Amino acid sequence: MTYNWQQADWPDFQYNVAKITTALQAFSSEIAEANGMLKSMPQSTRLQSIINTMVAEAIKTSAIEGELLNPRDVVSSVRNRLGLHDNPPIKDKRAKGIGELMVEVRNSYADPLSQQQLFTWHTLLLSQSNHIKTGQWRKGTEPMQVISGAAGRETIHYEAPPADKVPAEMKRYIQWFNDTAPGGRQEISAAPLRAAIAHLYFESIHPFEDGNGRIGRALAEKALSQTAGRPLVLSLSRTIEAARKDYYQALEKAQRSNEVTHWVVYFVNVVLNAQQQAKQLIEHTLQRSKFYDRFKDQLNERQLKAVNKMLDAGPEGFEGGITAKKYISITKASKATATRDLQDLAAIGALVLAGAGRSTHYTLCLDN
């Protein structure tokens, strides 16, 4: 098997831009709409939208690698890094690292890429790991392979360049990243296209002992924001994680050749979908803010706890609506109290009654 970095045209990636013209146009439209929505928001609501997106990215980029994090810990980490204190203590150090990385990537989006910046990101991400050497390129003679399957029946999906080639490869990568930035010698003006190549190129080098996927996705977001000229509010990993198998298959195929049109088409559409989902998340944050403005002074402690649980489900909504049984589970109220609380919420217009008999449930009223 010959991989992309072993071929004579490495890293001269070739692609057919005509295949992504429609998606690029749609992305430009979506990003303009999302930016307009953000600008129209009160500052506190806009900040909450940004925090929600960074938290979603942190949780999902970790989930892609098999790490499940406590959302509350991630929220505390992001808020602490933003200087917003009085947050619950962070129990999971992994959440602390990825949360801090998300804020650092956003804050430094306009900076030229450097080796030191990558080492800083790597240290933030994995400083809690005792067995990983952070803030340096991988070393040693063992091959860096992407493997799946049980012991003795492994499948090798990819093998990266040997460690002794990494410093030179990364020097060339960093130069490419900066040359393709706005105003660079080889500027790539389409943000999703630049992000697609930035991610594939980095993942193909696989320069770190661990954390390459998360750093690589952070680089894709940096490329997007830098090319767009402002920090974008979107979560690539939320979209990727929803169809993780497609992501790995597309990446594996792209690492067989330096003709990468199929990868570019795949990734540009991931970016477009991520931006569309981000717009939905922004809309939900605005609806949530308006909901609280209307009802917060009318809710008792139990009702507020249940409503928060429903709102935390995000744009997708609280699956199946809320029933008296679910309300009891969330609030520990009696059946009579749960029924009364839900009826009161419907009476003030906070919930909408649906179904009848055993199918009776309520949904949030977020339209106004």
Side-chain angles (χ1 to χ4, degrees), residues 122 126 129-139 208-210:
H122 193 242
L126 295 169
S129 178
N130 295 323
H131 66 282
I132 299 296
K133 295 179 180 178
T134 61
Q136 58 182 280
W137 307 133
R138 58 182 165 88
K139 296 179 173 62
F208 291 118
E209 187 179 343
D210 193 16

Side-chain angles (χ1 to χ4, degrees), residues 316-337:
E316 294 83 3
F318 194 69
E319 187 174 355
I322 191 162
T323 61
K325 185 177 180 180
K326 290 180 183 177
Y327 192 90
I328 292 168
S329 176
I330 295 168
T331 66
K332 310 306 178 188
S334 67
K335 184 176 181 180
T337 299

Side-chain angles (χ1 to χ4, degrees), residues 37-38 41-54 56 233 238 277-293 311-316 366 368:
M37 292 168 60
L38 284 169
M41 285 180 171
Q43 184 175 355
S44 60
T45 308
R46 182 164 59 248
L47 177 59
Q48 191 58 52
S49 285
I50 293 168
I51 291 172
N52 289 347
T53 304
M54 285 193 285
V233 180
R238 188 166 181 258
Q277 290 178 4
K279 190 173 70 172
Q280 293 173 357
L281 187 59
I282 292 168
E283 288 174 343
H284 179 74
T285 303
L286 184 57
Q287 289 175 329
R288 183 174 186 150
S289 177
K290 290 179 178 179
F291 183 91
Y292 282 134
D293 287 344
L311 287 167
D312 286 344
E316 294 83 3
L366 296 176
N368 297 319

Side-chain angles (χ1 to χ4, degrees), residues 198-257:
H199 185 59
L200 172 62
Y201 193 171
F202 179 84
E203 294 305 323
S204 296
I205 300 172
H206 236 67
F208 291 118
E209 187 179 343
D210 193 16
N212 292 289
R214 285 161 286 182
I215 298 292
R217 289 184 287 276
L219 280 166
E221 295 215 355
K222 178 181 177 71
L224 282 169
S225 294
Q226 195 178 73
T227 309
R230 59 183 178 276
L232 300 185
V233 180
L234 83 170
S235 171
L236 287 177
S237 295
R238 188 166 181 258
T239 307
I240 291 170
E241 198 270 339
R244 182 166 45 181
K245 185 177 180 180
D246 293 345
Y247 168 68
Y248 284 122
Q249 287 179 342
L251 190 59
E252 181 178 357
K253 183 178 179 181
Q255 289 170 331
R256 298 285 193 266
S257 167

